[in-house]
């Protein structure tokens, strides 16, 4: 891979060990994937998890002087005040990981968005922009919905790109690699956002890693939430970083001759029964519930206000913790009065936090409901089973205390 004199000097340590480490990671990645050079990026998203693996590398860069050179947002960690609010004991080690995450973020000069969806409200690239986004819902959204360009970055490679302001030129940064290699025909009408998310999960399971599907047969103006969930699911059950929807996503809309655009001739069909059987599988548990998890990926303002109006004058059952994960920015938009109203009804709006964090251990071991397959996937590892269903059903279950 070609490196300019300046890039070589960074590898050799001219700017310090932190920048050298970041540059070495990008060069290794580029050489592995046959990149010809590094290209400038405009922004990055660092999916830091607040766990040892990510922190080891972040602290290595931060403590040796590296600072981000393009706007770099962060994933959620967890809000330290929650252990008091929910009277949960977190270990000294768990607290230390949180403090280390915040301290490394400060040193690196990242934007502490602490949200997995900053691309929906503050970090929006234009079509054709080169970026470096880690996080399962972010990568497909950036590529597919905005028509900007990113590879499926790890947390460390996105951070290294944010520090150097460049990324290796390979994969989805090249136009020739962005055309679809498989056609997906959807042979039924998608009823709502939840079904669209299920379709994403189903496709993630049947497609090969790095397949780029062209999805046909789905119509309508999908909400940002539906598109966010579709991307999160297809990139959690599988590894799909870019999808095209006929007549909808920007790159598909530009195409005049689909036959020339397609690479290969593979085709799959999705029938109503495929999604119905997935739904049966995810909703078959029943009984008393102790929690509702919404906001994985982080909930938007309309989703939170929808919960408010679905509840009306009713309250969440006293045995149920109704948790909605969102960003601090969304909380500001919602305003204190609305947040207070929701709290009185038994809904907790949580900022800066992720479902896969230790502070939520108070719901472990019992059944919960969620509208997110991804939440269920991560919470399962923390010994909690879920019924996965629509927001409407989550709210009804929350009021009854059972499903
Ligand atoms: Fe976001 Fe954590 Fe879910 S990063 S997508 S809340 S697993």
């Amino acid at each position: 891979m070609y490196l300019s004199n300046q890039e070589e000097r960074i590898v050799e340590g001219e700017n310090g060990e932190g920048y050298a480490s970041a540059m070495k990671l990008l060069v290794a990645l580029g050489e592995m994937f046959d990149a010809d050079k590094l290209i400038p990026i405009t922004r990055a998203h660092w999916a830091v998890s607040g766990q040892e693996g990510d922190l080891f590398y972040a602290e290595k860069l931060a403590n040796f002087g590296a600072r981000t050179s393009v706007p770099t947002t962060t994933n959620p960690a967890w809000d330290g005040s929650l252990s008091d609010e929910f009277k949960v004991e977190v270990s000294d080690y768990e607290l230390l990981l949180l403090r280390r995450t915040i301290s490394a973020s400060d040193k690196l000069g990242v934007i502490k968005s602490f949200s997995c969806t900053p691309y929906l409200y503050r970090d929006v690239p234009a079509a054709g922009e080169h970026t470096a986004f880690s996080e399962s819902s972010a990568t497909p959204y950036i590529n597919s919905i905005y028509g900007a360009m990113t590879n499926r970055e790890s947390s460390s490679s996105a951070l290294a790109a944010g520090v150097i302001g460049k990324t290796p030129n390979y994969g989805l940064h090249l136009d020739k690699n962005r055309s679809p290699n498989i056609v997906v025909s959807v042979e039924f009408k998608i009823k709502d956002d939840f079904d669209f998310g299920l379709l994403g999960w189903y496709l993630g399971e049947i497609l090969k890693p790095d397949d780029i599907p062209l999805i046909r047969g789905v119509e309508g103006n999908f909400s940002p939430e539906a598109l966010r969930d579709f991307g999160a699911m297809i990139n959690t059950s599988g590894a799909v970083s870019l999808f095209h929807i006929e007549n909808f996503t920007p790159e598909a809309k530009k195409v005049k001759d689909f036959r020339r655009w397609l690479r290969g001739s593979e085709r799959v069909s999705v029938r109503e029964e495929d999604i119905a059987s997935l739904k049966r599988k995810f909703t078959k548990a029943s009984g008393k519930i102790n929690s509702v998890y919404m906001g994985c990926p982080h909930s938007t303002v309309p989703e939170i206000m929808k919960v408010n109006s679905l509840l009306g004058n009713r309250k969440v059952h006293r045995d149920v913790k109704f948790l909605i994960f969102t960003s601090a920015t969304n909380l500001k938009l919602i305003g204190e009065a609305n947040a207070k109203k929701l709290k009185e009804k038994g809904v907790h709006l949580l900022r800066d936090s992720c479902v896969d964090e230790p502070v939520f251990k108070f719901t472990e071991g019992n059944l919960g409901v969620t509208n997110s397959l991804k939440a269920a996937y991560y919470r399962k590892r923390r010994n909690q089973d879920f019924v996965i269903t629509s927001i409407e059903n989550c709210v009804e279950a929350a009021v009854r205390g059972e499903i």
Side-chain angles (χ1 to χ4, degrees):
M1 185 171 81
Y2 166 80
L3 291 183
S4 67
N5 288 340
Q6 191 210 10
E7 289 162 352
E8 272 179 4
R9 289 200 302 274
I10 294 174
V11 174
E12 283 155 15
E14 185 177 273
N15 295 359
E17 217 176 299
Y19 289 96
S21 284
M23 189 59 114
K24 282 178 191 166
L25 188 148
L26 297 179
V27 171
L29 202 56
E31 286 181 343
M32 193 158 62
F33 287 102
D34 286 332
D36 57 346
K37 60 182 179 182
L38 293 169
I39 48 169
I41 58 163
T42 50
R43 62 188 83 223
H45 179 72
W46 176 35
V48 56
S49 65
Q51 290 157 11
E52 281 288 3
D54 291 343
L55 275 177
F56 170 80
Y57 184 68
E59 287 175 338
K60 185 176 157 114
L61 299 196
N63 294 340
F64 286 100
R67 302 291 175 261
T68 46
S69 64
V70 294
T72 303
T73 44
T74 61
N75 247 24
W78 53 280
D79 174 359
S81 68
L82 292 177
S83 51
D84 289 338
E85 183 175 341
F86 293 114
K87 301 187 180 37
V88 186
E89 270 190 38
V90 285
S91 67
D92 289 346
Y93 175 65
E94 287 162 343
L95 259 181
L96 181 66
L97 285 179
L98 176 62
R99 289 201 192 105
R100 282 169 57 194
T101 303
I102 294 167
S103 160
S105 300
D106 284 335
K107 283 187 191 160
L108 288 161
V110 297
I111 300 164
K112 291 186 290 182
S113 55
F114 291 134
S115 172
C116 38
T117 58
Y119 58 86
L120 286 181
Y121 56 87
R122 67 174 302 158
D123 199 14
V124 180
E129 253 185 63
H130 292 280
T131 69
F133 271 69
S134 47
E135 178 51 32
S136 64
S137 76
T139 312
Y141 207 100
I142 297 300
N143 278 316
S144 316
I145 309 305
Y146 292 139
M149 296 167 158
T150 177
N151 280 318
R152 191 174 197 259
E153 301 291 348
S154 69
S155 126
S156 298
S157 65
L159 178 61
V163 165
I164 300 297
K166 293 179 182 176
T167 194
N169 190 33
Y170 73 94
L172 296 177
H173 290 285
L174 302 169
D175 283 333
K176 69 180 169 77
N177 294 334
R178 295 178 64 88
S179 55
N181 68 327
I182 180 163
V183 177
V184 173
S185 300
V186 177
E187 297 181 346
F188 63 97
K189 198 165 164 38
I190 304 275
K191 285 196 275 304
D192 53 24
D193 287 4
F194 184 65
D195 276 3
F196 198 47
L198 285 174
L199 175 67
W201 189 271
Y202 178 80
L203 291 177
E205 283 185 339
I206 64 168
L207 296 176
K208 297 188 292 301
D210 297 327
D211 269 351
I212 300 176
L214 169 65
I215 300 161
R216 286 182 146 160
V218 292
E219 284 168 16
N221 264 331
F222 303 101
S223 65
E225 293 83 0
L227 295 162
R228 172 204 63 197
D229 290 348
F230 181 84
M233 302 317 154
I234 202 170
N235 206 19
T236 297
S237 64
V240 172
S241 312
L242 167 61
F243 58 85
H244 302 288
I245 301 176
E246 191 174 19
N247 299 325
F248 183 74
T249 49
E251 282 160 90
K253 269 167 105 174
K254 280 195 301 200
V255 171
K256 302 239 174 349
D257 183 348
F258 275 99
R259 269 173 308 180
R260 287 187 62 186
W261 192 40
L262 275 171
R263 293 177 287 137
S265 55
E266 229 184 308
R267 282 173 161 64
V268 292
S269 303
V270 188
R271 296 161 304 136
E272 192 157 18
E273 177 49 28
D274 298 324
I275 300 304
S277 68
L278 200 59
K279 201 185 264 182
R280 282 196 294 276
K281 178 172 139 195
F282 289 133
T283 53
K284 71 172 184 257
S286 62
K288 291 210 172 307
I289 60 164
N290 72 354
S291 53
V292 179
Y293 276 74
M294 257 184 72
C296 173
H298 274 180
S299 289
T300 59
V301 172
E303 283 175 314
I304 295 168
M305 295 319 290
K306 181 175 176 175
V307 170
N308 189 40
S309 68
L310 286 169
L311 276 170
N313 293 326
R314 300 176 302 166
K315 285 193 174 177
V316 171
H317 192 280
R318 62 177 182 282
D319 297 336
V320 176
K321 293 277 186 289
F322 197 128
L323 310 175
I324 304 185
F325 298 76
T326 192
S327 63
T329 308
N330 284 345
L331 273 184
K332 270 200 194 116
L333 290 172
I334 281 165
E336 279 177 24
N338 282 322
K340 190 165 167 254
K341 225 186 287 169
L342 276 159
K343 195 158 189 184
E344 283 162 5
K345 294 179 190 180
V347 177
H348 301 269
L349 299 182
L350 311 174
R351 50 173 284 170
D352 300 344
S353 303
C354 162
V355 302
D356 190 26
E357 292 291 349
V359 73
F360 304 107
K361 52 181 77 141
F362 56 90
T363 69
E364 287 169 16
N366 283 94
L367 187 64
V369 295
T370 179
N371 66 330
S372 163
L373 288 137
K374 190 174 172 185
Y377 173 85
Y378 279 108
R379 296 297 306 169
K380 178 94 189 153
R381 302 188 313 186
R382 293 181 182 268
N383 187 29
Q384 183 168 21
D385 286 323
F386 279 89
V387 171
I388 307 156
T389 185
S390 63
I391 294 180
E392 286 80 356
N393 290 342
C394 286
V395 169
E396 293 313 310
V399 172
R400 286 198 313 271
E402 62 183 349
I403 187 139

